[in-house]
Amino acid sequence: MVQLAEKVVVCMADQSIIVSQDLCGAGAVSLGAALPILAALGLRPRVLPTALLSTHTGIPDNTYLDLSGQIAPILRHWATVALDIGGLYLGYLGPQALAVWREQLPRLAALPLRVVDPAMADGGKLYRGLDADYVTGMRNLLAHATLVTPNVTEAQLLLGRKPTTKPVTEAAAQELAAAFFAQFQIPVVLTGIALTSGRIGVASAAQQTVQMQTTEALPGHYFGTGDMFASVLAGRLLQGRPLQTAIASAMDFIARAITVTNQAAEADNPLQDVNFGPVLPTLVAASTRAESGERP
């Protein structure tokens, strides 16, 4: 059963999910985060790399090998194999892969879960190498999603608003989520919101319902937390969890991972990524409890 309304619920017997984003040789971001997280959740990722990078783009002079030309041929081959895909999750794409997915995503409309993380901006500005045309292309792609997970900057750009960098009130965060749903008519989960209270929030909007969850703001600035969040969220939804439960699970996982990373005091971490490996067992344990009928 699939319900994408006030409560976003996806309940699929199959546990396979297409994951398409870049792969960094060094740095726990994008596919480097998504694959182990989804595997820990007991899911089977079907991987479509969009590009191969030496590091994430937060590091200057990274290499970049475009692989977008392989997406369509791989999908055509998969169509001849009984993979029984249950959902799809798109992360950072880049201009070439975005163009490919704008053509391919409408052909996958039968998939009940199509999560798009419009990873393209943060801190009030677009990522290096992206421009206004990319924002326009992303708007067009979102029309074929069932759930979108932008951060504040991405949501503002997609709405045509001037990006802001200051913390916002919970009311302002909820207004932004509500405005996003009103414009795109797609359930949205607005992530990593810096609140004036000093906490971090996640605001969601579906139909006329806007909800907010907050957590303690932890020290440190790390790359890949948005990828981690979207991976846990997509995985939990594919497992059949309600939206708010999936959001809480993603927030808890990130908090645990950042705490572990901070405790290690990794002063020699030039990539500023999160060491989430030690907390992967918490995802496995939660899934096991849920399968046995216990509260996840």
Side-chain angles (χ1 to χ4, degrees):
M1 180 183 71
V2 178
Q3 178 182 347
L4 290 172
E6 291 190 3
K7 293 183 179 179
V8 179
V9 178
V10 175
C11 186
M12 296 295 297
D14 182 72
Q15 297 294 299
S16 297
I17 182 169
I18 294 174
V19 187
S20 188
Q21 49 193 291
D22 63 287
L23 175 63
C24 296
V29 304
S30 300
L31 283 176
L35 298 186
I37 287 173
L38 291 169
L41 289 168
L43 306 175
R44 294 176 291 173
R46 309 306 188 187
V47 185
L48 279 172
T50 59
L52 175 64
L53 289 71
S54 55
T55 68
H56 58 71
T57 57
I59 305 299
D61 303 320
N62 62 283
T63 65
Y64 186 96
L65 175 64
D66 175 47
L67 299 175
S68 61
Q70 291 298 307
I71 295 174
I74 290 173
L75 286 173
R76 285 195 297 269
H77 181 230
W78 282 356
T80 69
V81 183
L83 294 180
D84 296 324
I85 304 298
L88 175 144
Y89 157 40
L90 302 182
Y92 178 82
L93 299 176
Q96 293 87 354
L98 176 60
V100 173
W101 273 113
R102 283 180 59 189
E103 178 181 352
Q104 295 297 325
L105 190 54
R107 301 175 181 178
L108 298 171
L111 293 178
L113 178 67
R114 302 183 300 280
V115 177
V116 175
D117 178 10
M120 60 181 184
D122 201 4
K125 60 183 180 181
L126 286 163
Y127 292 152
R128 175 162 45 95
L130 305 182
D131 56 19
D133 288 339
Y134 191 86
V135 178
T136 300
M138 185 60 71
R139 288 194 191 104
N140 295 330
L141 183 71
L142 296 188
H144 307 286
T146 60
L147 182 67
V148 188
T149 62
N151 60 31
V152 171
T153 298
E154 290 157 354
Q156 290 171 330
L157 288 170
L158 289 165
L159 287 171
R161 299 183 180 184
K162 183 178 179 180
T164 58
T165 57
K166 294 181 179 180
V168 300
T169 64
E170 288 192 25
Q174 290 175 313
E175 183 279 328
L176 183 60
F180 193 98
F181 179 81
Q183 177 164 326
F184 293 101
Q185 293 297 298
I186 304 165
V188 60
V189 176
L190 188 60
T191 68
I193 308 167
L195 298 170
T196 52
S197 64
R199 295 175 66 81
I200 297 295
V202 172
S204 59
Q207 300 294 9
Q208 302 304 314
T209 302
V210 181
Q211 298 190 58
M212 189 89 188
Q213 296 191 42
T214 69
T215 188
E216 177 187 1
L218 298 173
H221 173 76
Y222 296 102
F223 292 93
T225 54
D227 304 324
M228 292 163 51
F229 182 95
S231 299
V232 177
L233 182 71
R236 288 299 190 208
L237 290 174
L238 193 60
Q239 289 178 331
R241 304 296 198 278
L243 179 61
Q244 296 306 314
T245 301
I247 290 172
S249 180
M251 294 174 71
D252 176 72
F253 180 77
I254 292 173
R256 290 173 184 266
I258 290 177
T259 298
V260 167
T261 304
N262 286 341
Q263 288 173 344
E266 294 180 323
D268 60 342
N269 179 6
L271 297 175
Q272 291 181 274
D273 55 358
V274 180
N275 181 20
F276 62 82
V279 297
L280 285 174
T282 65
L283 296 179
V284 178
S287 298
T288 302
R289 289 196 301 272
E291 289 173 2
S292 67
E294 298 179 36
R295 184 174 178 176

